[in-house]
């Protein structure tokens, strides 16, 4: 009769572990939770960082190369919530662990197809334990550097593999299915939630897009927030419209950080990576800032989506007073993007 008691005890312990996730009190869902994301270039630390917002999403390997980013943000606001972005479904040549680990004979077998849209990136075999261990190491690195959360990108390789318009090497090379990405997130989430941040909270982890697997990730309490791109389908007319599928996050108090990509935020001519000082034009501003498209309670930023300018320092906010207002450009220091990687990050 011992086994059932043991399994009941184990289930009880597991539920305790879930309840034990410690979230900083400031990190709560709501339109007023302002954030900024800058993953294209390294944040400039030579002066005060603008805008002054409580949540930042920055690139893990920029932070590894320039740890002063964390110190600078914290010196301005000790409670700032810092999310560290990294690619989880693919690895890219600029990642500090790429040349030293992934692209070496012992690990090269984990690399699948190059993503045609992003030629410096290759899909990895997320079913393989070794690959999972290397991505878990990135989460530990993020914690060690002082990040409060991980933003693992491209956890929707199943969408690429189930897209009939893609064939052969336009797919990931791993024939991924939703369950593969769910299991990958289980592994990453357990790892993150088992870490304590330098501020004494639980290391949190977000869901990036991937609405198809959201209900499972949320039901199992694997994710603590979401980062969405173009959930209204304004930029990519063929894309799914999926904002409303993230209302359960808002109901659970979990922030939904959403990005809209109005083309007119790019300074003319369109295609430039520069920020228009007046922001998106009235049609695009209104559509991007409209809160009635299943996106109530989301924290929204308007950003540039275009090659070398994608997710750069240019942002427009919706709460500044309307069309023509709310444009902020975070200062960056692109010269530091490829700086030498410290040993702990390779
Ligand atoms: C890896 O090597 C390539 C080619 O030599 C180089 O362009 C890239 O910057 C290197 N990456 C890192 C992170 O050092
Ligand atoms: C996982 O990948 C490593 C490195 O390529 C390989 O040695 C190992 O056999 C793989 N494991 C499985 C179960 O396929
Ligand atoms: C959690 O962390 C402890 C050490 O702090 C380690 O012994 C344990 O294996 C970890 N568990 C998981 C699921 O990662
Ligand atoms: C706003 O910008 C978009 C994208 O460049 C363009 O297609 C549209 O015609 C513009 N609308 C107005 C009213 O200027």
């Amino acid at each position: 009769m011992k086994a059932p008691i043991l399994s009941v005890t184990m289930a009880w312990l597991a539920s305790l572990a879930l309840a034990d996730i410690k979230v900083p009190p400031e990190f709560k869902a709501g339109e007023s939770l302002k954030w900024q994301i800058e993953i294209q270039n390294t944040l400039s630390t030579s002066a005060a960082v603008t805008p002054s917002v409580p949540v930042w999403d920055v690139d893990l390997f920029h932070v590894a190369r320039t740890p002063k980013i964390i110190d600078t943000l914290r010196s301005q606001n000790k409670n700032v919530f810092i999310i560290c972005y990294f690619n989880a479904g693919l690895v890219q040549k600029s990642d500090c662990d790429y040349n030293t680990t992934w692209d070496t004979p012992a690990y090269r077998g984990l690399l699948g197809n190059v993503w045609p849209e992003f030629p410096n990136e290759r899909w990895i075999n997320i079913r393989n334990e070794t690959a999972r261990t290397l991505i878990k190491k990135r989460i530990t690195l993020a914690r060690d550097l002082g990040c409060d959360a991980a933003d693992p990108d491209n956890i929707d390789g199943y969408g690429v593999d189930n897209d009939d318009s893609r064939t052969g090497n336009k797919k990931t090379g791993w024939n991924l299915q939703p369950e593969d990405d769910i299991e990958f997130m289980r592994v990453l989430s357990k790892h993150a939630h088992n870490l304590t941040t330098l501020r004494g909270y639980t290391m949190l982890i977000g869901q990036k897009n991937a609405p198809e697997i959201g209900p499972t990730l949320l039901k199992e309490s694997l994710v603590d927030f979401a980062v969405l791109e173009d959930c209204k389908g304004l930029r990519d007319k063929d894309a799914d419209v999926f904002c409303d599928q993230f209302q359960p996050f808002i109901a659970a108090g979990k922030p939904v950080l959403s990005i809209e990509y109005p083309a007119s935020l790019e300074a003319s001519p369109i295609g430039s990576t520069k920020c228009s000082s007046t922001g998106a034009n009235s049609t695009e501003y209104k559509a991007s800032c409209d809160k009635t498209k299943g996106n109530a309670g989301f924290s929204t930023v308007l950003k540039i989506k275009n090659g070398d300018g994608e997710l750069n320092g240019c942002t427009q906010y919706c709460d500044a007073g309307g069309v023509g207002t709310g444009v902020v450009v975070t200062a960056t220091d692109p010269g530091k993007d490829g700086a030498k990687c410290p040993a702990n990050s390779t």
Side-chain angles (χ1 to χ4, degrees):
M1 291 311 280
K2 274 187 182 148
I5 292 170
L6 182 65
S7 67
V8 167
T9 309
M10 297 297 279
W12 176 72
L13 280 174
S15 70
L16 260 193
L18 285 180
D20 222 29
I21 291 175
K22 289 202 213 49
V23 180
E26 298 81 14
F27 193 59
K28 279 215 191 73
E31 270 150 29
S32 61
L33 186 74
K34 276 182 102 163
W35 71 300
Q36 164 68 315
I37 175 167
E38 161 59 292
I39 56 174
Q40 177 66 239
N41 300 114
T42 307
L43 243 60
S44 170
T45 54
S46 60
V49 178
T50 54
S52 171
V53 288
V55 177
W56 278 83
D57 195 343
V58 288
D59 182 86
L60 171 63
F61 291 114
H62 289 163
V63 170
R65 288 167 163 118
T66 309
K68 201 181 164 203
I69 290 171
I70 303 283
D71 304 336
T72 305
L73 289 172
R74 291 235 189 276
S75 71
Q76 292 178 217
N77 169 7
K78 69 180 170 46
N79 293 328
V80 66
F81 189 87
I82 304 174
I83 301 169
C84 283
Y85 165 98
F86 56 88
N87 210 335
L90 303 92
V91 289
Q92 44 198 80
K93 287 184 181 166
S94 56
D95 294 342
C96 286
D97 54 0
Y98 187 85
N99 292 339
T100 49
T101 307
W102 296 95
D103 194 20
T104 62
Y107 297 93
R108 215 168 272 143
L110 299 169
L111 302 180
N113 290 331
V114 172
W115 200 357
E117 291 88 334
F118 298 92
N120 288 322
E121 306 184 15
R122 289 178 71 173
W123 292 96
I124 60 166
N125 181 3
I126 59 171
R127 283 191 292 263
N128 180 289
E129 284 307 324
T130 307
R132 291 172 176 179
T133 300
L134 292 177
I135 299 296
K136 283 194 277 185
K137 212 175 139 200
R138 291 182 173 191
I139 296 176
T140 307
L141 172 66
R143 189 281 305 269
D144 292 348
L145 288 166
C147 312
D148 298 288
D151 173 12
D153 197 10
N154 298 308
I155 56 161
D156 49 5
Y158 61 86
V160 167
D161 285 337
N162 291 332
D163 176 351
D164 293 337
S165 70
R166 290 175 178 266
T167 53
N169 61 11
K170 292 205 172 68
K171 298 199 177 210
T172 72
W174 305 111
N175 188 23
L176 300 176
Q177 296 307 317
E179 184 52 40
D180 294 316
D181 281 287
I182 290 171
E183 188 55 26
F184 185 44
M185 283 300 285
R186 281 192 190 108
V187 170
L188 299 186
S189 172
K190 276 194 193 117
H191 180 71
H193 286 166
N194 194 31
L195 297 173
T196 300
T197 66
L198 302 188
R199 294 204 291 149
Y201 295 102
T202 304
M203 181 71 179
L204 303 185
I205 181 168
Q207 168 172 353
K208 183 70 176 295
N209 298 321
E212 299 82 1
I213 63 174
T216 306
L217 301 189
L218 194 61
K219 190 176 72 203
E220 295 185 21
S221 297
L222 300 179
V223 286
D224 310 296
F225 61 98
V227 180
L228 308 183
E229 296 175 276
D230 193 21
C231 72
K232 295 174 181 168
L234 297 172
R235 180 66 186 250
D236 179 356
K237 305 290 181 217
D238 300 327
D240 293 334
V241 175
F242 60 89
C243 305
D244 57 346
Q245 294 178 49
F246 285 82
Q247 280 304 319
F249 277 70
I250 299 296
K254 299 186 181 201
V256 179
L257 310 174
S258 78
I259 302 167
E260 297 296 340
Y261 291 118
S264 53
L265 181 56
E266 294 161 23
S268 145
I270 300 298
S272 146
T273 61
K274 297 245 165 55
C275 193
S276 155
S277 60
T278 52
N281 68 29
S282 70
T283 312
E284 291 198 322
Y285 176 87
K286 282 180 191 148
S288 300
C289 293
D290 181 358
K291 294 174 189 163
T292 67
K293 296 289 183 284
N295 59 326
F298 289 16
S299 307
T300 301
V301 287
L302 279 45
K303 300 287 295 182
I304 287 181
K305 179 182 185 60
N306 172 35
D308 289 345
E310 185 156 330
L311 295 165
N312 67 11
C314 173
T315 292
Q316 186 174 19
Y317 291 98
C318 296
D319 66 349
V323 186
T325 67
V327 177
V328 183
V329 182
T330 295
T332 58
D333 198 347
K336 291 194 172 138
D337 295 351
K340 196 168 153 42
C341 291
N344 70 348
S345 66
T346 61

